[in-house]
Amino acid sequence: MDFKEMIMKIFDQNRQIALCAVGTTVALLGFGVVYKYMRPEKKLTRVGVVTQLLVHPMKSGKVVSVETAECLRMGLKHGELRDRHWLVITEDGHMVTGRQQPRLVLVSLTCEGGQLCLNGPQMEELRVPLHQPNNAVMDCRVFSIDVQGRDCGDDVSDWLTRYLESDKTIRLVHFEPHLKAQRPSEKNPLYPKDEKVAYPDAAPIMLMSEASVRDLNTRLDSDVTVFQFRPSIVVSDCEAFTEDTWDHIQIGQVEMKRVVGCGRCVFTTVDPETGVITRKEPLDTLKNYRLTDPKQKTAPILGQYYSVKKTGVLHVGEPVYTVTY
């Protein structure tokens, strides 16, 4: 093969490579155009507006109302406060909630300047370091699920034990990202298998409408507020119980999918202002007309549990949209 033939052969091979590359590029562009025009169109329908964002740092503790919050896969976050990331337990790791100790709802847990602050009626304020990495990691149980938490120390334990006037030692643990979390799918297969939460009963987010509570109040002798039901997100400008139908919602850039209705228990009979439990209302009335989920035969539904599909920041006053395709 002479020099001229060799040059022509190289040119021919390069031309084939170039043609192949051009063909591949055209095909990819074609697929992109087809996908763009063939994929379902996302439709947003305004259904309400966010009126309250509520963080409950300690399970069964006092609520913290905020104007803005990060909405993460494991729930709401405001500064150092994360929803249901602190848990009251006995020394053997069993959870203690307002069901057994209703006065827990009066305990305020906040974070200031790297310190954990506890306040309660007739108690001195307690401040301890927020992060205590040398403290023990304790094995705990939230209902039937094994979880872990970092012990908050003896000073906190003494404070809570005295406040609750308990004959058993009470401790407080804090969830950290590397510790064992709950997987809601272990209790209910409707939850995504990759879903993880710290210490809530079930899901990272619980949403309900003001209208649903107003409807309930028309049936009660004494009014209750949304605080009695401990939601994460409160929505107005909608009809009562329409949240039952919001399967996929968007608030700002945050997207959530409904999993299941929130089945109500005796904890709803604890007054969040007094810490007194009646074990009757509003639960008895709810059972008369809100046994709407056959899978929860004795638990009336008020509010809906959601999984977070797209994280972001939420603001009070933002519109709520349903998403359909």
Side-chain angles (χ1 to χ4, degrees), residues 32-218:
V33 171
V34 169
Y35 176 75
K36 177 179 178 181
Y37 288 101
M38 293 295 291
R39 67 179 177 179
E41 182 180 355
K42 183 178 180 180
K43 180 182 178 183
L44 300 180
T45 304
R46 189 183 185 279
V47 292
V49 62
V50 176
T51 52
Q52 295 189 72
L53 295 171
L54 305 175
V55 180
H56 300 82
M58 185 176 77
K59 187 175 182 68
S60 289
K62 198 167 187 176
V63 66
V64 178
S65 180
V66 299
E67 290 295 310
T68 183
E70 294 178 70
C71 188
L72 307 177
R73 289 295 302 273
M74 293 183 75
L76 297 187
K77 178 179 185 291
H78 180 78
E80 294 283 358
L81 296 179
R82 297 194 62 168
D83 194 73
R84 277 95 171 180
H85 269 52
W86 282 265
L87 176 69
V88 179
I89 61 170
T90 57
E91 279 199 299
D92 59 0
H94 287 89
M95 72 175 185
V96 178
T97 73
R99 299 165 181 84
Q100 305 88 31
Q101 292 282 1
R103 291 179 66 245
L104 270 180
V105 301
L106 305 179
V107 175
S108 167
L109 186 155
T110 58
C111 298
E112 297 175 13
Q115 290 189 311
L116 178 72
C117 307
L118 288 177
N119 282 281
Q122 288 78 56
M123 294 293 291
E124 74 285 1
E125 181 180 69
L126 177 67
R127 289 175 175 256
V128 298
L130 176 59
H131 301 291
Q132 302 186 61
N134 295 324
N135 286 3
V137 171
M138 300 186 67
D139 294 322
C140 322
R141 287 180 73 81
V142 175
F143 297 106
S144 59
I145 304 297
D146 293 327
V147 293
Q148 291 181 314
R150 176 85 62 187
D151 184 55
C152 292
D154 291 339
D155 289 345
V156 172
S157 173
D158 175 69
W159 193 96
L160 284 169
T161 303
R162 286 189 292 114
Y163 172 74
L164 295 175
E165 299 176 347
S166 174
D167 55 356
K168 295 182 179 179
T169 300
I170 302 297
R171 304 200 73 86
L172 182 71
V173 295
H174 177 214
F175 183 81
E176 297 174 355
H178 63 281
L179 299 181
K180 183 176 183 180
Q182 290 189 82
R183 290 189 178 272
S185 60
E186 293 180 12
K187 291 189 292 186
N188 189 330
L190 293 175
Y191 287 94
K193 291 193 179 299
D194 64 344
E195 184 103 292
K196 293 193 296 183
V197 294
Y199 307 130
D201 285 359
I205 297 292
M206 198 272 283
L207 177 149
M208 64 186 302
S209 70
E210 291 180 350
S212 298
V213 178
R214 284 198 301 270
D215 181 275
L216 170 62
N217 282 333
T218 64

